[in-house]
Amino acid sequence: MQPQSPTPDATASGQVADAVRGNWVDRLAPEATRPYLRLSRADRPIGTWLLLLPCWWGLALGMLWDQSPRWEDLWIFIGCGLGAWLMRGAGCTWNDITDRDIDGSVERTRSRPIPSGQVSVKQALAYMGAQALVAFAILLTFNAAAIALGFLSLLPVAIYPFAKRFTWWPQVFLGLAFNWGALLAWAAHTGSLHWAPVILYVAGICWTLFYDTIYAHQDAEDDALIGVKSTARLFGEASPQWLRAFQLLTVALLALAVVAAAAPRGTGAALAVALAGPCAMGLHMGWQLRRFDPDDNPTLLRLFRANRDTGLIPLIFFLAAVLA
């Protein structure tokens, strides 16, 4: 089944095919800003959530590890939110610049601002730089360890758009970029790294492999025609088994990260509450697996978007454990 195409009126107004219908960009944003907001995916907020939630996981487990929540953590919480919005926008702009020819050949992406002619490459580069500069200013309010990790995060962000050209596992590179915030936010709170955020980071990568394989099945036919690689194409009919493996790895590694963070100094109650988070997350991932149909693109998109809730579930338990 092909992705849902925009209506003629939507196409004329510049609406992107896979954007949420009636989103605030299409309804409320000044017309001149809409192509740029679409370029940064402001009309499709799920990506910001998926970039942000590992940051908040790292912050919560950092507070659980040292048993020392502070008022400055509120700014880390807010700063991660602002930074995730900006860097997701900058990363998507970079992705669309590098993929402009590919996007024009795929039904779901040909309505994006660059291939549809709403924004030029030079304008996109300028917009990407502006977003990155504001995000850099926010990063400078954190400690030295977090700033250093922020600079290092640019490497996987820069490489990811090219990964689909040379590997069947581009989702790994997306995971490397999208879960970096687990390391950065932990360091912003504690001032250093530890095994717990590293394990958390790997758990996040497994989660990314889960949700982005679901997402990539929307484009599997077009990707095959133009030679773009993905785990969806690699796994094919075996995708449910692979998704189950990623689910189990995510839950197991997330639980191990919780033990590494909470066991040394936390109470038994805090550890029990925090461990309930990975279990509940696994149940939500299982719900997605039961509804997975590689030939039903609208359902694939709904499942992908449902991963905002998937990531919020353990965060609620982690924050409750801090208070336990």
Side-chain angles (χ1 to χ4, degrees):
M1 181 180 294
Q2 290 296 321
Q4 181 182 1
S5 298
T7 64
D9 288 344
T11 302
S13 67
Q15 187 180 55
V16 178
D18 59 354
V20 177
R21 295 294 177 260
N23 65 79
W24 73 273
V25 173
D26 295 330
R27 290 186 299 106
L28 302 174
E31 188 170 351
T33 67
R34 289 177 186 175
Y36 296 96
L37 290 169
R38 291 167 182 145
L39 193 62
S40 60
R41 310 290 198 274
D43 55 345
R44 285 154 286 167
I46 179 58
T48 299
W49 281 107
L50 296 175
L51 184 62
L52 173 59
L53 287 166
C55 301
W56 284 350
W57 292 353
L59 175 60
L61 289 189
M63 290 189 290
L64 191 59
W65 179 71
D66 66 7
Q67 295 291 297
S68 180
R70 302 180 292 272
W71 279 111
E72 67 187 70
D73 293 324
L74 180 60
W75 167 244
I76 297 173
F77 186 89
I78 296 170
C80 284
L82 296 172
W85 192 85
L86 289 161
M87 286 308 297
R88 191 259 182 144
C92 287
T93 304
W94 171 241
N95 185 80
D96 284 8
I97 291 169
T98 61
D99 281 359
R100 58 190 182 275
D101 295 329
I102 293 174
D103 285 346
S105 302
V106 176
E107 175 68 24
R108 185 179 58 82
T109 58
R110 65 182 53 166
S111 57
R112 287 178 177 175
I114 295 178
S116 64
Q118 298 176 58
V119 176
S120 71
V121 173
K122 287 184 179 180
Q123 289 170 326
L125 284 168
Y127 183 54
M128 179 183 70
Q131 294 173 96
L133 282 174
V134 178
F136 176 64
I138 294 171
L139 179 66
L140 290 179
T141 66
F142 295 164
N143 58 34
I147 293 171
L149 285 166
F151 275 108
L152 288 174
S153 72
L154 297 177
L155 182 61
V157 170
I159 293 174
Y160 166 66
F162 302 100
K164 65 176 75 70
R165 295 164 170 85
F166 64 80
T167 178
W168 287 100
W169 295 83
Q171 281 69 26
V172 171
F173 288 85
L174 180 66
L176 291 170
F178 257 57
N179 294 281
W180 196 268
L183 304 174
L184 192 153
W186 174 288
H189 172 79
T190 67
S192 62
L193 281 180
H194 180 268
W195 280 111
V198 174
I199 299 169
L200 182 66
Y201 179 53
V202 179
I205 293 170
C206 294
W207 179 41
T208 302
L209 280 161
F210 178 88
Y211 65 67
D212 207 60
T213 297
I214 292 174
Y215 185 75
H217 268 282
Q218 297 175 92
D219 300 329
E221 291 183 9
D222 285 339
D223 287 348
L225 290 173
I226 60 179
V228 169
K229 299 177 174 67
S230 72
T231 50
R233 287 190 60 207
L234 176 65
F235 301 154
E237 294 181 359
S239 287
Q241 290 87 351
W242 281 95
L243 291 173
R244 178 70 67 187
F246 296 142
Q247 174 202 22
L248 295 174
L249 283 170
T250 300
V251 172
L253 289 167
L254 196 60
L256 185 59
V258 166
V259 172
R265 303 175 190 176
T267 64
L271 179 60
V273 170
L275 281 173
C279 296
M281 181 181 184
L283 291 174
H284 196 270
M285 294 171 78
W287 169 83
Q288 293 182 58
L289 274 173
R290 290 191 296 275
R291 284 154 181 79
F292 173 74
D293 180 350
D295 298 317
D296 184 353
N297 282 358
T299 297
L300 291 171
L301 185 57
R302 283 196 296 272
L303 292 177
F304 171 70
R305 289 174 177 165
N307 278 277
R308 179 202 65 174
D309 297 340
T310 310
L312 281 171
I313 288 169
L315 177 65
I316 293 169
F317 284 94
F318 294 166
L319 293 175
V322 172
L323 302 175

